[in-house]
Amino acid sequence: MILYNAIIIYTGGEYVDEGYYTVVSGDTLYSIARKFNTTVDNIKKANNLKSNTLSIDTILIIPEEKIVSENIYT
């Protein structure tokens, strides 16, 4: 796994540790939420953010989306 991560970084890719994301220039909460298929509110709650302002190199917790089936059979 370490080699895989090194290759991603070397080739200019963006390494994202599972469950975390490091803010880069140009990021917004909205763009990060779309990238991880979650909502701005979920990211703000998980990181105790009071505003939508982000700082570069901030490490955010990305909340895992729980898939709940609406169909329950017994």
Side-chain angles (χ1 to χ4, degrees), residues 1-2 4-6 8-9 12-18 20-22 24 35-36:
M1 190 61 132
I2 293 172
Y4 174 76
N5 296 340
I8 290 173
I9 293 167
E14 181 179 327
Y15 170 66
V16 178
D17 192 13
E18 186 175 333
Y20 296 92
Y21 178 76
T22 303
V24 296
K35 181 177 205 163
F36 292 98

Side-chain angles (χ1 to χ4, degrees), residues 33-53:
R34 287 196 52 184
K35 181 177 205 163
F36 292 98
N37 196 31
T38 188
T39 66
V40 169
D41 284 340
N42 285 345
I43 293 174
K44 287 176 77 170
K45 286 177 189 173
N47 293 279
N48 199 27
L49 299 176
K50 304 297 182 206
S51 73
N52 291 342
T53 303

Side-chain angles (χ1 to χ4, degrees), residues 54-72:
L54 296 175
S55 298
I56 295 171
D57 292 332
T58 299
I59 298 172
L60 296 175
I61 298 168
I62 303 299
E64 187 176 312
E65 290 294 309
K66 305 274 191 266
I67 299 173
V68 178
S69 175
E70 294 182 14
N71 300 320
I72 300 175

